Amino acid sequence: MMPTPFPGMDPYLERSGLWHQIQVALAVEIQHFLTPLLRPRYHVSIEERTYLTVLPPTGEPEKVVERYLEVHDVVNREVVTVIEILSPTNKTVRKNRIQYEHKRLEVLSSLTHLIEIDLIRKGKPFSMKIKGKNDYRIIISRSPHRPSADIYLFGVRDKIPDFPIPLRDGEPEPVLPLNKIVHDLYDLGGYDLVIDYQQPPVPALSKEDAQWATQLLNSNN
């Protein structure tokens, strides 16, 4: 078993055919991590939305199922926090992007906290006033603080930052070690067996990052 050679997000996992597996595994592993920390006050559920879209190269309508998580208050069943894990179809397919933007706006207009995990370089990021640009980002929008939000920007050379999960006001916020979760699921899923590191990732890295990645991969051979 070979661990991912990248310190944070492995850009080879962004491949559309592979990312669906990663998104599902991420949702499950985040649920497994948070459940013992939040029970019995909260329940963490995995939800799904379904899109009918046209994906290349077939040009035929295909059903796309995306997973996200909800943190529910056990007493009144209210959704306290939504955790979204973005996919390429969220960002690049116009119809799906519009549908996700509507869902996103509903959450941002409510008393529910929103966490948006964007580990996909392909496509335009969703609107949020941010100074600077990077490969990946995590947004934590706490309902009482809107329109302000906490933004974590990081690149392919960086570790994925740990971040807190907001709950009810005044309650301790558990910290999600997303970098460890991603690396662990890489090992558990045996993704080293299906990734060809001799080929460039899709989408391509910047020239500087591609040179860095080549040195990194050569040092791991």
Side-chain angles (χ1 to χ4, degrees), residues 21 23 53 67 72 76 79 106 139 151 154 180 186 190 194 199 202 211 219:
Q21 300 178 38
Q23 187 193 48
T53 188
R67 272 77 177 185
H72 296 259
N76 56 26
V79 180
E106 286 180 6
I139 295 172
I151 311 293
F154 52 104
K180 183 179 187 305
Y186 179 98
V194 295
Q199 301 297 322
V202 179
Q211 292 174 344
S219 68

Side-chain angles (χ1 to χ4, degrees), residues 122-141:
K122 187 176 182 180
K124 182 181 177 181
F126 288 94
S127 61
M128 191 70 71
K129 292 182 178 180
I130 300 173
K131 293 182 178 179
K133 180 181 178 182
N134 223 317
D135 297 321
Y136 312 111
R137 66 183 191 171
I138 297 168
I139 295 172
I140 302 177
S141 174

Side-chain angles (χ1 to χ4, degrees), residues 4 23 125 173 190 205 211:
T4 172
Q23 187 193 48
E173 299 181 349
L205 298 170
Q211 292 174 344

Side-chain angles (χ1 to χ4, degrees), residues 37-150:
L37 299 179
L38 299 184
R39 65 175 302 142
R41 179 78 165 91
Y42 300 99
H43 175 251
V44 183
S45 66
I46 297 176
E47 308 292 333
E48 65 179 41
R49 67 173 66 92
T50 303
Y51 299 121
L52 188 63
T53 188
V54 176
L55 297 176
T58 63
E60 298 176 357
E62 296 184 31
K63 184 172 74 172
V64 177
V65 180
E66 296 178 344
R67 272 77 177 185
Y68 60 99
L69 298 104
E70 291 183 345
V71 179
H72 296 259
D73 187 314
V74 172
V75 175
N76 56 26
R77 305 307 302 165
E78 291 180 353
V79 180
V80 177
T81 306
V82 171
I83 303 174
E84 293 280 358
I85 305 168
L86 298 188
S87 68
T89 53
N90 286 135
K91 298 174 69 178
T92 63
V93 180
R94 184 175 182 272
K95 178 181 177 182
N96 296 4
R97 185 180 178 96
I98 291 172
Q99 289 178 330
Y100 176 73
E101 284 178 330
H102 287 164
K103 172 66 175 178
R104 187 178 192 255
L105 185 59
E106 286 180 6
V107 177
L108 292 175
S109 302
S110 72
L111 297 178
T112 302
H113 309 302
L114 173 66
I115 297 176
E116 194 172 76
I117 300 171
D118 188 355
L119 301 179
I120 299 294
R121 289 173 295 123
K122 187 176 182 180
K124 182 181 177 181
F126 288 94
S127 61
M128 191 70 71
K129 292 182 178 180
I130 300 173
K131 293 182 178 179
K133 180 181 178 182
N134 223 317
D135 297 321
Y136 312 111
R137 66 183 191 171
I138 297 168
I139 295 172
I140 302 177
S141 174
R142 292 176 171 84
S143 60
H145 300 164
R146 292 183 183 128
S148 298
D150 296 331

